[in-house]
């Protein structure tokens, strides 16, 4: 595991951007796995700038997003489909049918999980971007999710709902369920880039790097992957540095 410590979130975004740029120059028709949440926003700004400066192009790229809330359609401002439009897709040139995300309003959610999983099985993600939940979740794979899991319907933990409540009017508005890529889908990517920003991630980062590889902490599985880069700001790296 390659661990890069940065001074601040801006530097995290710039270094991550370089990794994306390298990938897209090496393989213009890359398949990217992307994430939502506050962590990747500065990186998405850099990707937008890079494509406007013609340093990178998304014209041949396919994007697969990690997860989506159940019950929110793509026009709902709290859906992850909306998030992706607002923070990236509206500002880059990408084919409409090259952006993929689970449909959280499908009539048959189990069938939707199969549909998304089949799509994932028909491709190979070249570069998968991840954030990290305080409880170690990756995507919406909460603690005790099997490492063999594929795309599935998940009940969100209270901790996750509470942490994501800043984006909603009230905690009651936060969906109780989501569809997420499974851990085996994530691990199948050729290269994985995990970003963590802020002191509230310091304990999760410590556990990811030093704790046991255990389903209780989903992110720990990344230690078994051959090509993982973790980029941290100073605050997120606080505990790993104390131990050194
Ligand atoms: C959310 C998302 C994850 C994200 C994580 C961290 O619940 N499902 O994909 O990585 O939690 O979010 P943030 O970046 O806002 O801290």
């Amino acid at each position: 595991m390659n661990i890069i410590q940065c001074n601040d979130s801006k530097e995290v975004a710039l270094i991550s951007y370089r990794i994306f740029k390298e990938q897209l120059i090496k393989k213009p028709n890359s398949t990217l796995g992307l994430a939502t949440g506050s962590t990747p926003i500065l990186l998405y700004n850099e990707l937008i700038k890079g494509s406007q400066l013609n340093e990178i192009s998304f014209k041949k790229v396919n994007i697969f997003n990690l997860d989506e809330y159940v019950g929110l359609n793509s026009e709902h401002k709290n859906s992850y489909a909306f998030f992706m439009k607002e923070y990236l897709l509206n500002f880059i040139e990408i084919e409409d049918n090259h952006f993929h995300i689970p449909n959280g309003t499908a009539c048959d959610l189990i069938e939707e999980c199969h549909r998304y999983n089949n799509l994932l099985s028909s491709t190979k993600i070249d570069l998968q971007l991840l954030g990290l939940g305080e409880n170690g979740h990756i995507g919406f794979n909460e603690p005790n999710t099997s490492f063999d899991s594929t795309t599935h319907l998940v009940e969100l933990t209270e901790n996750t709902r509470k942490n994501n409540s800043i984006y909603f009017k009230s905690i009651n508005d936060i969906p109780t369920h989501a569809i997420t890529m499974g851990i085996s889908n994530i691990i199948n990517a050729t290269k994985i880039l995990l970003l963590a920003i802020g002191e509230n991630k310091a304990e999760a980062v410590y556990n990811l790097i030093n704790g046991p590889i255990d389903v209780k902490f989903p992110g720990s599985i990344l230690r078994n992957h051959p090509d993982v880069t973790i980029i941290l700001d100073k605050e997120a790296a606080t505990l790993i540095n104390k131990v050194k």
Side-chain angles (χ1 to χ4, degrees), residues 165-193:
S165 66
I166 48 166
Y167 303 106
F168 291 81
K169 273 199 211 114
S170 104
I171 191 147
N172 298 325
D173 294 335
I174 307 173
T176 54
H177 291 76
I179 293 177
T180 183
M181 269 189 207
I183 295 180
S184 76
N185 302 117
I186 293 173
I187 283 298
N188 193 35
T190 307
K191 186 178 180 69
I192 296 180
L193 177 62

Side-chain angles (χ1 to χ4, degrees), residues 35-40 66-67 69 80 130-133 137-140 160 164 167 200-201:
T36 49
S38 52
T39 309
L66 279 169
D67 45 18
Y69 286 117
Y80 284 163
L130 294 175
L132 181 64
H137 74 224
I138 46 176
F140 266 136
T160 297
N164 290 1
Y167 303 106
N200 61 322
K201 298 293 170 75

